[in-house]
Amino acid sequence: MTEMAEVVARLRAAGCVYAEQEAALLHDVADGVALDDLVARRVAGEPLEHLLGRVEFRGLRLVLTPGVFVPRQRTALVVEEGLRALRSDALAIDLCCGAGTIGAGIGSARPDVELWATELDPTAAASARQNLGGPVRVGDLFEPLPSRLWGRVDLVAANLPYVPTAAIATMPAEARDHEPRLGLDGGDDGLRLHRRAVPEAAEWLAPGGRLVVECGRPQASTLADLMRASGLDASIVTDDALDGTVVSGRRNDTVTA
Ligand SMILES: C[S@@+](CC[C@H](N)C(=O)[O-])C[C@H]1O[C@@H](n2cnc3c(N)ncnc32)[C@H](O)[C@@H]1O
């Protein structure tokens, strides 16, 4: 058996559905000795993206280090809804940015936008700094942002942790064992962090500004209610092809001259 055929066989035996493609990708990033190590780590359940050190998102190649939440393709819906809300030279925040997934999607489509990102985990923030042109600040929610942005933001886009705590045990081992709990655990109903983030976001937004947040489909109406309670006009957007759900809320007070 050739080395590659052996690798494919090991990956397939471990349950990798796209064993041939994964073998080719691992081969591309490995030098001879490291390939065996990479395959062993993949067989043990590490996400392919962590082993490759990168992830593809909306045609972009993002840097991703082990220990950082693996961007999901469904998050493209946050980017699309966010982009629809942006005027020229707008100010946008990628809140809880992880690897900078949302900000990279927005920044690549709209280089004119002034983009800031925040993230609690310094490891994720280090990945984000390699993927984003703008500043990435480490800290809790909006706390690390300069106060001069308060009330001036045109878009807050976010994919906050939203897996209900009890559901983490039912996730694939890849996520459960290799993604940071901080990136997954959303408390009892998955919306624990949203209850703090939504009212804060409403204050950072400019009049007419928009908050766009990913969630699970069953959580969408509760999240929309949270936004309405903070004075935002909220609507739910779903995309079956992406298997994505976002709630989009617009700060509805009018601009006074
Ligand atoms: C579901 S992941 C999404 C990451 C990224 N937005 C994406 O879509 O790939 C949530 C992220 O929120 C970060 N996070 C959790 N609690 C936070 C907090 N209080 N303040 C800032 N970031 C936080 C986690 O470290 C994680 O990177």
Side-chain angles (χ1 to χ4, degrees):
M1 219 193 280
T2 65
E3 187 192 31
M4 279 307 279
E6 209 174 296
V7 168
V8 171
R10 285 173 67 193
L11 292 173
R12 188 166 293 125
C16 298
V17 179
Y18 302 106
E20 279 89 359
Q21 289 96 317
E22 291 201 12
L25 289 165
L26 290 174
H27 183 266
D28 284 350
V29 295
D31 51 47
V33 181
L35 180 61
D36 194 51
D37 177 49
L38 288 175
V39 173
R41 288 168 62 190
R42 181 68 185 128
V43 165
E46 277 193 52
L48 180 66
E49 296 85 349
H50 284 166
L51 299 175
L52 299 177
R54 63 173 198 251
V55 60
E56 309 290 326
F57 179 74
R58 288 187 101 244
L60 301 170
R61 178 169 285 192
L62 305 181
V63 171
L64 188 77
T65 48
V68 178
F69 178 86
V70 179
R72 310 301 205 259
Q73 300 308 317
R74 68 172 69 96
T75 302
L77 188 57
V78 179
V79 175
E80 282 160 24
E81 285 304 305
L83 287 171
R84 280 151 54 93
L86 288 174
R87 58 177 178 80
S88 61
D89 297 318
L91 176 57
I93 294 172
D94 179 353
L95 187 74
C96 302
C97 67
T101 317
I102 296 169
I106 287 172
S108 71
R110 290 289 304 275
D112 58 300
V113 167
E114 181 183 347
L115 183 77
W116 290 73
T118 73
E119 165 60 51
L120 194 54
D121 174 13
T123 306
S127 275
R129 286 196 184 101
Q130 297 185 70
N131 296 320
L132 295 176
V136 178
R137 295 277 177 94
V138 175
D140 177 45
L141 295 178
F142 294 86
E143 174 270 326
L145 292 172
S147 57
R148 67 181 170 77
L149 304 185
W150 192 87
R152 290 183 44 216
V153 179
D154 299 291
L155 172 69
V156 175
N159 175 18
L160 310 173
Y162 62 82
V163 183
T165 305
I168 292 176
T170 67
M171 293 182 84
E174 246 181 80
R176 205 178 58 221
D177 298 338
H178 296 280
E179 289 192 278
R181 186 101 182 177
L182 186 65
L184 301 175
D185 192 349
D188 285 350
D189 67 351
L191 297 175
R192 180 179 53 201
L193 195 57
H194 302 68
R195 290 192 171 79
R196 278 203 297 125
V198 169
E200 282 190 42
E203 298 200 340
W204 283 81
L205 288 176
R210 197 168 277 274
L211 170 64
V212 179
V213 185
E214 178 174 324
C215 64
R217 218 160 272 197
Q219 298 161 328
S221 65
T222 306
L223 180 54
D225 286 344
L226 284 176
M227 289 196 191
R228 289 183 193 113
S230 292
L232 305 179
D233 286 335
S235 55
I236 297 168
V237 182
T238 59
D239 184 313
D240 289 336
L242 284 171
D243 188 26
T245 302
V246 306
V247 182
S248 177
R250 184 175 180 277
R251 184 168 155 180
N252 58 15
D253 44 0
T254 48
V255 188
T256 47

